[in-house]
Amino acid sequence: MYDQGTFDGLPYDPAEYDPRSPQVKQNIEAHFAALRQHCPVHHHVFSEAEQKEINENPFVAGPTTDLYSFLKHSDVERILQNPDEFLSIEGAGPERMTPVEGTGMLVWSDGDPHRRSRKICLPAFSPKNIAPLAPMLQVRIDDLIDGFAHKGAIDLMEEFALPVTSSMIAHLIGLPIERSPEILEWGQAIIGTFGGDDESYQKGLWSLGKIGEFLAEVGPDRARRLAEGEELFDAVTHVLTSTDENGSRFTPQEAVVAVSQFLGAGIESSATAMCNGIYLLCTNPDERRKLADNPKLIGTAVEEILRFMAPIEGTCRTAAEDTEVAGTRLRKGQKIRPVYASANMDADVFDNPRQFRVDRERAELSKHMTFGKGVHSCLGAALARRELALGISTLLRRLPDLALDPTKQPTRNPIFLVHGFDYLPVRWDPAGVLPRAEDPAATAKGTLAESR
Ligand code: HEM
């Protein structure tokens, strides 16, 4: 069935590609390159042990035995652009999750219930709503750098990336920065539920309870302030007050589910992108120099980082009916996976795709699949781009000699959905740290204006 190819000069047998293997993930880009060439539609039958692991999740509705991964850009696009044929209702992972449609759910829902949730959530991510977040984010980024500057070495993920992205989400939902560690804990508990055991499931429920308590606490205050004519921009106010086409609002339970997705989708993904970006700039010194010489390139640099190392490897769909993609027959109920991280490296779409270039053409970059495509495309994309532009440009400006720590080894995240680093040791000379800019609002505005 498979065409035997080569893998770094050695024969490559695609049958050895196990999409869930943490070992495979250590060298995933090379696997994707070989697969795109020799086996662009990859069929993996889960071993008994894998099936046990996947199907024992307390949310699972029915067993999964195998998975098709689609590696080519055109196939990924075809799947994402046909949401009635390829459903999201059974979740983003290989497991067949119990449908939770009509509960404020976005990412695991289809059709009208998805449209309704999306319509109500969309205003929370409008440019007007997210613009005020940039100056606070700039302050937070500078505070974090001031806090660790003297150390000369940190794990970038733990001490910078996660604190930045959890602060952003805290602010998005109208909580003070001081509560961002709590937000991080709630967000990690939500993610841990998927593919997790009973303990993680209980922790996820605990997190939903915490979000429910928070909404019950702030809801009346927001309603009163709005009634008094105050203009409020936080996402929680929007989620509690926006309506669908028929004028109906989320119930309190729906609002909890919606907000939980902002936490689940918005913290680790952006933090992974931040670490991926710093890794790529540290390992491509010519491109880093180009960016230092011309800070206006930050926008295309961020987009190239997102293309080159998509933090979400791919999210699964379920075939609604018997169908065919790229000559492969799929039966109704088959779990399939469009692989964004591979589509972004497809030489049919991107010029010399394995070359990292901070000044790649915008028109070309706009074709990357990192935020998905179509009806489920990422609601937080503009937010993520801002975090990355401000975080990366400030870090490299203030710690000009920042480098990967040669005494330690970065590690890749072993989680199926994630593509990138979960531990990134970096170091610098504390004597060379530059002071923060005086006006955070002007700095953020300048960087973001340049990033367009
Ligand atoms: C670099 C960071 C991020 C990446 C790579 C990313 C990636 C994605 C992808 C690929 C999807 C589509 C999933 C699918 O079609 O199955 C998605 C959906 C989504 N993202 Fe993001 N995301 C990021 C940041 C954020 C942030 C900061 C938020 C906001 C809080 C967010 C909120 C969402 C939501 C709510 C959805 C579901 C949309 C729907 O189903 O209609 N994401 N994201």
Side-chain angles (χ1 to χ4, degrees):
M1 173 175 182
Y2 296 118
D3 175 8
Q4 298 288 319
T6 59
F7 191 61
D8 287 342
L10 300 168
Y12 181 66
D13 179 1
E16 283 169 22
Y17 170 69
D18 175 350
R20 291 178 70 256
S21 154
Q23 286 73 36
V24 165
K25 282 181 88 81
Q26 299 305 315
N27 193 17
I28 194 79
E29 292 82 9
H31 279 277
F32 287 159
L35 288 171
R36 270 192 311 279
Q37 197 182 347
H38 302 292
C39 178
V41 182
H42 181 269
H43 185 217
H44 178 71
V45 178
F46 294 116
S47 67
E48 259 179 49
E50 278 182 309
Q51 285 191 39
K52 193 163 179 299
E53 219 178 286
I54 294 169
N55 296 317
E56 275 187 1
N57 184 310
F59 279 128
V60 162
T64 309
T65 54
D66 59 337
L67 178 72
Y68 282 90
S69 296
F70 289 84
L71 285 298
K72 293 287 292 176
H73 190 279
S74 53
D75 298 335
V76 169
E77 193 163 33
R78 146 112 162 87
I79 293 165
L80 296 186
Q81 296 287 32
N82 289 284
D84 295 336
E85 234 183 302
F86 305 106
L87 306 176
S88 293
I89 187 87
E90 288 186 341
E95 54 284 84
R96 304 189 62 184
M97 301 297 247
T98 308
V100 283
E101 207 156 61
T103 57
M105 185 47 82
L106 286 152
V107 74
W108 286 6
S109 66
D110 298 305
D112 286 341
H114 173 257
R115 268 188 287 281
R116 172 171 187 270
S117 295
R118 187 136 174 140
K119 173 107 181 29
I120 295 177
C121 290
L122 209 54
F125 296 91
S126 69
K128 195 173 165 194
N129 206 44
I130 63 172
L133 299 173
M136 103 53 215
L137 194 63
Q138 185 65 52
V139 171
R140 177 66 170 151
I141 287 166
D142 280 312
D143 285 351
L144 286 165
I145 296 175
D146 287 342
F148 59 58
H150 66 284
K151 289 192 185 176
I154 54 166
D155 165 19
L156 196 79
M157 178 57 101
E158 193 182 333
E159 294 200 46
F160 184 70
L162 284 171
V164 168
T165 61
S166 53
S167 304
M168 177 68 138
I169 298 293
H171 226 72
L172 176 77
I173 65 173
L175 272 173
I177 292 295
E178 296 72 48
R179 290 188 68 181
S180 57
E182 238 176 301
I183 291 298
L184 179 58
E185 193 185 2
W186 297 355
Q188 286 178 331
I190 296 288
I191 295 184
T193 313
F194 309 117
D197 52 15
D198 195 50
E199 196 185 324
S200 16
Y201 173 66
Q202 295 306 331
K203 189 95 202 269
L205 288 180
W206 164 86
S207 172
L208 287 177
K210 285 284 174 196
I211 297 169
E213 281 169 27
F214 160 62
L215 293 185
E217 187 188 307
V218 299
D221 166 68
R222 302 292 151 85
R224 177 186 55 75
R225 287 162 64 189
L226 285 174
E228 287 169 0
E230 200 176 325
E231 205 179 356
L232 296 173
F233 294 107
D234 66 275
V236 162
T237 303
H238 284 288
V239 166
L240 292 172
T241 59
S242 298
T243 55
D244 65 12
E245 289 105 1
N246 304 317
S248 109
R249 291 185 177 160
F250 273 158
T251 63
Q253 290 78 10
E254 286 175 322
V256 169
V257 172
V259 170
S260 75
Q261 289 169 91
F262 305 164
L263 271 58
I267 300 176
E268 296 226 15
S269 52
S270 303
T272 304
M274 189 89 76
C275 290
N276 291 351
I278 292 297
Y279 175 86
L280 288 169
L281 288 164
C282 286
T283 50
N284 289 276
D286 292 345
E287 295 304 299
R288 179 172 174 178
R289 208 164 306 118
K290 240 191 244 173
L291 178 60
D293 291 346
N294 182 6
K296 284 198 169 88
L297 290 176
I298 187 66
T300 46
V302 163
E303 229 43 48
E304 175 69 341
I305 288 164
L306 289 164
R307 178 192 74 85
F308 202 91
M309 257 188 119
I312 310 284
E313 196 178 299
T315 53
C316 294
R317 297 290 192 267
T318 306
E321 297 296 339
D322 290 355
T323 186
E324 199 176 298
V325 180
T328 302
R329 285 169 163 273
L330 302 169
R331 57 179 200 286
K332 179 179 174 174
Q334 174 66 51
K335 270 276 182 171
I336 62 169
R337 183 173 66 128
V339 184
Y340 313 141
S342 170
N344 287 354
M345 289 285 168
D346 192 334
D348 288 350
V349 176
F350 300 98
D351 172 48
N352 203 353
R354 294 181 85 179
Q355 188 181 43
F356 176 72
R357 286 205 312 255
V358 296
D359 53 358
R360 199 175 271 276
E361 285 296 318
R362 278 273 183 198
E364 206 186 337
L365 287 168
S366 70
K367 294 179 189 149
H368 77 62
M369 293 285 177
T370 299
F371 291 117
K373 194 143 204 117
V375 297
H376 286 281
S377 67
C378 180
L379 272 182
L383 209 59
R385 289 182 166 117
R386 274 161 205 240
E387 292 176 296
L388 293 170
L390 295 181
I392 291 171
S393 58
T394 309
L395 203 59
L396 295 183
R397 179 162 37 81
R398 295 197 55 198
L399 310 179
D401 65 338
L402 182 96
L404 299 183
D405 187 337
T407 66
K408 295 183 175 132
Q409 194 58 33
T411 59
R412 299 274 191 130
N413 196 319
I415 293 175
F416 177 67
L417 285 178
V418 184
H419 176 218
F421 294 96
D422 60 356
Y423 171 64
L424 192 71
V426 291
R427 73 179 191 187
W428 63 90
D429 177 1
V433 175
L434 298 177
R436 64 202 290 159
E438 273 179 16
D439 182 347
T443 309
K445 206 169 158 199
T447 305
L448 295 176
E450 282 177 353
S451 78
R452 258 170 228 136

